[in-house]
Amino acid sequence: MIERISHIGIAVHDLERGIGLYRDVFGMQLLGIEDVAEQGVRVAMFRAGESRIELLEPTSAESPVAKFLASRGPGLHHICYEVDDVDRALKRIGESGVRLIDHESRRGAGDTKVGFLHPNSTGGVLIELNSHV
Ligand code: CO
């Protein structure tokens, strides 16, 4: 069901500073910057071989990423696994007793459908599942 690591999400206070580190210092290719209004974040995506690094800057105080930054500070936020069909994966994982944040997929960055699993059920790791639309 899980095909690969799609990306690793990292919460930052300042996207421009994050880009300065990942693009200019680490030399990683910046694939794009995108506002994801549904999740209250601005996202910068970098290529890391087959996977990606996703920097997340909150665009509103109500954003889950803003709350994460306020309580935990910047750093590792989530890991995203690519699946062939997010809605089917959420249904199956939910039926196995894992607590879901999203019971149905919603729109993510870069023409994807995404859904999150609750870290209380996954050993403290916020897990995102995505699939291409
Ligand atoms: Co993500």
Side-chain angles (χ1 to χ4, degrees):
M1 182 175 64
I2 287 174
E3 298 180 349
R4 66 183 183 106
I5 294 174
S6 165
H7 62 267
I8 293 168
I10 297 172
V12 299
H13 286 296
D14 182 335
L15 199 64
E16 303 311 321
R17 278 187 61 186
I19 290 169
L21 180 65
Y22 280 82
R23 182 187 61 195
D24 303 334
V25 179
F26 295 163
M28 290 167 68
Q29 181 189 359
L30 175 60
L31 298 170
I33 299 173
E34 185 180 352
D35 261 295
V36 185
E38 290 84 346
Q39 297 181 36
V41 290
R42 200 158 69 100
V43 169
M45 198 69 91
F46 296 86
R47 181 184 303 284
E50 287 285 291
S51 300
R52 295 170 181 205
I53 296 293
E54 177 185 66
L55 302 185
L56 304 151
E57 175 195 70
T59 52
S60 85
E62 288 73 44
S63 162
V65 174
K67 291 170 184 160
F68 178 92
L69 284 169
S71 65
R72 316 250 308 249
L76 285 176
H77 181 261
H78 66 270
I79 184 164
C80 179
Y81 297 115
E82 185 175 316
V83 297
D84 58 352
D85 183 321
V86 169
D87 287 293
R88 215 170 56 210
L90 288 172
K91 185 167 188 295
R92 197 184 125 188
I93 290 168
E95 284 169 356
S96 76
V98 170
R99 188 173 159 200
L100 305 177
I101 293 174
D102 298 306
H103 292 270
E104 290 179 2
S105 64
R106 52 197 165 114
R107 190 189 160 276
D111 285 332
T112 57
K113 295 195 297 184
V114 306
F116 285 88
L117 314 181
H118 200 286
N120 283 357
S121 285
T122 55
V125 179
L126 177 59
I127 293 177
E128 175 183 12
L129 304 175
N130 79 7
S131 59
H132 293 284
V133 173

